[in-house]
Amino acid sequence: MMRVAVTDDWQEVSRSCADWVPLQSKAEVVWFHEPFDSEDAAAAALASFDAIIPLRDRTKFSTSLLRKLPRLKLIAQTGPLALHIDLDTCTKQGIVCCASQATNANLAATPELTLGLMLAAAHHIAQGHANMKAGRWQQGIPFGEPLAGRTLGVIGLGNIGKKLVNYGKALGMKVIAWSPNLTPERAAEAGAAFVTKAQLLSEADVVSMHLVHTDRTVGTLGAADLALMKPGSLLVNTARGPLIDEIALIEALKSGRITAALDVYDREPLPADHPFRVLPNVVLTPHIGFVKRDMFAAFYQQSVENVLAVIAGDPQRVMNPDVLMRKAS
């Protein structure tokens, strides 16, 4: 009987997001609710499985890890992207990789969380909440800063960035935008004014990241970029941690020049001893911008279907179709 590992289910929600019974009648399904501490730990835990259903990009399936999984024949990816999977190695090893399609839930959830983080940081909502829970009142809470009349700088004007433009304008903010491929015409269509990256960083009171995580966008904001930001400005990141140089961001926060509101990090889960956890000028959430029931239901139900299709000999939604030709030859 095929053995299937469902990994990265840190919230223990995947069982309620799909009908697993048809798959459990044909395979042994095992859930993993804790992150793997290392590649070797992942290899040891997964070595006896024929198929893996990972949650998005929480586990990186590098060439070195894949070579330690000789029994693996299928990765049923939750989501349409596979930047964390070495597809070439999968093809060479005969591992079929299948995708699941996203829903529109993320197009609303992530910009809404971004707006929430903006407001939480501007009005010190987390500190106020902590005071109230501890039996205190306003002690130690700084003045809030209304966002109306301020400038919002949006880096990346895809579907999520465009929604944030609308939210910013609804608050009475001036909205400017930049990305490596953005044009003045496309910015205007979204309701934002196109500026250079340097202009955006030096003019914006709030800078919000909404770029796709690729090799080209890693480190989009480095130390020199952060140094351009206005004193007292806010940097929000609900996209991906590696878009910003983490060491440079920590130093900028330690200096007290800027504040930050973050939902994403270079390493997830964020280590317990990470500097972000103790810095007073950063609001943190545990990458919940995409963690929504509708999205997970689509991801997991399609992943179950993908495993069943492979068992039936009719793979669906295959991301590395060359592997099927190799198997047929």
Side-chain angles (χ1 to χ4, degrees):
M1 179 177 280
M2 175 182 278
R3 301 192 77 225
V4 180
V6 183
T7 64
D8 315 306
D9 184 18
W10 301 340
Q11 289 177 283
E12 301 188 28
V13 295
S14 62
R15 289 176 188 260
S16 67
C17 292
D19 179 7
W20 297 90
V21 173
L23 180 56
Q24 289 176 305
S25 70
K26 298 179 180 296
E28 178 188 0
V29 183
V30 179
W31 276 263
F32 290 84
H33 301 302
E34 297 294 330
F36 301 117
D37 292 333
S38 64
E39 182 179 289
D40 285 342
L46 300 175
S48 65
F49 288 91
D50 306 281
I52 299 173
I53 301 177
L55 182 55
R56 299 246 296 205
D57 54 356
R58 289 180 175 177
T59 297
K60 183 177 180 180
F61 289 90
S62 62
T63 295
S64 55
L65 175 56
L66 291 167
R67 286 175 176 167
K68 296 172 185 175
L69 304 175
R71 182 168 166 173
L72 185 62
K73 298 303 176 188
L74 169 65
I75 297 177
Q77 168 66 10
T78 51
L81 302 178
L83 299 175
H84 60 297
I85 302 173
D86 190 317
L87 291 178
D88 287 341
T89 299
C90 286
T91 299
K92 291 174 184 176
Q93 291 187 197
I95 302 168
V96 177
C97 297
C98 301
S100 57
Q101 300 304 310
T103 69
N104 289 329
N106 198 42
L107 301 183
T110 301
E112 286 179 11
L113 178 66
T114 304
L115 175 61
L117 287 172
M118 288 167 54
L119 293 170
H123 295 281
H124 310 290
I125 293 173
Q127 290 159 280
H129 173 79
N131 267 18
M132 295 296 286
K133 289 290 188 178
R136 298 190 296 271
W137 192 239
Q138 297 174 346
Q139 296 91 332
I141 301 177
F143 285 121
E145 297 290 343
L147 296 177
R150 306 283 181 167
T151 298
L152 170 63
V154 180
I155 297 182
L157 269 190
N159 291 325
I160 292 173
K162 289 176 183 176
K163 281 190 174 290
L164 193 67
V165 170
N166 293 332
Y167 294 162
K169 296 179 80 170
L171 291 173
M173 302 183 78
K174 173 186 175 183
V175 185
I176 57 179
W178 172 85
S179 76
N181 299 314
L182 186 63
T183 64
E185 293 75 20
R186 286 177 50 220
E189 289 173 3
F194 174 78
V195 293
T196 65
K197 180 166 76 166
Q199 285 177 303
L200 184 146
L201 294 169
S202 62
E203 296 177 11
D205 299 288
V206 179
V207 176
S208 192
M209 302 295 293
H210 299 287
L211 295 173
V212 175
H213 179 200
T214 68
D215 291 341
R216 287 186 58 213
T217 59
V218 168
T220 293
L221 297 187
D225 301 300
L226 298 176
L228 295 175
M229 293 181 64
K230 296 167 64 172
S233 59
L234 169 66
L235 176 60
V236 184
N237 190 6
T238 56
R240 283 293 188 274
L243 300 179
I244 304 170
D245 183 319
E246 185 177 272
I247 294 175
L249 177 55
I250 291 170
E251 291 305 311
L253 290 168
K254 285 182 176 178
S255 76
R257 286 191 65 256
I258 65 172
T259 59
L262 309 173
D263 186 51
V264 290
Y265 312 93
D266 280 10
R267 181 181 173 187
E268 297 183 2
L270 189 69
D273 60 350
H274 196 283
F276 284 153
R277 292 188 183 269
V278 296
L279 286 167
N281 51 343
V282 57
V283 176
L284 306 175
T285 50
H287 201 164
I288 56 175
F290 81 101
V291 181
K292 302 296 174 278
R293 178 170 294 278
D294 288 351
M295 177 169 287
F296 275 36
F299 281 168
Y300 280 115
Q301 189 59 50
Q302 291 178 37
S303 295
V304 168
E305 294 168 2
N306 287 340
V307 178
L308 289 171
V310 169
I311 292 174
D314 184 25
Q316 302 294 315
R317 308 183 184 103
V318 178
M319 293 185 285
N320 57 337
D322 287 350
V323 73
L324 302 179
M325 298 175 61
R326 291 173 63 95
K327 287 177 176 290
S329 62

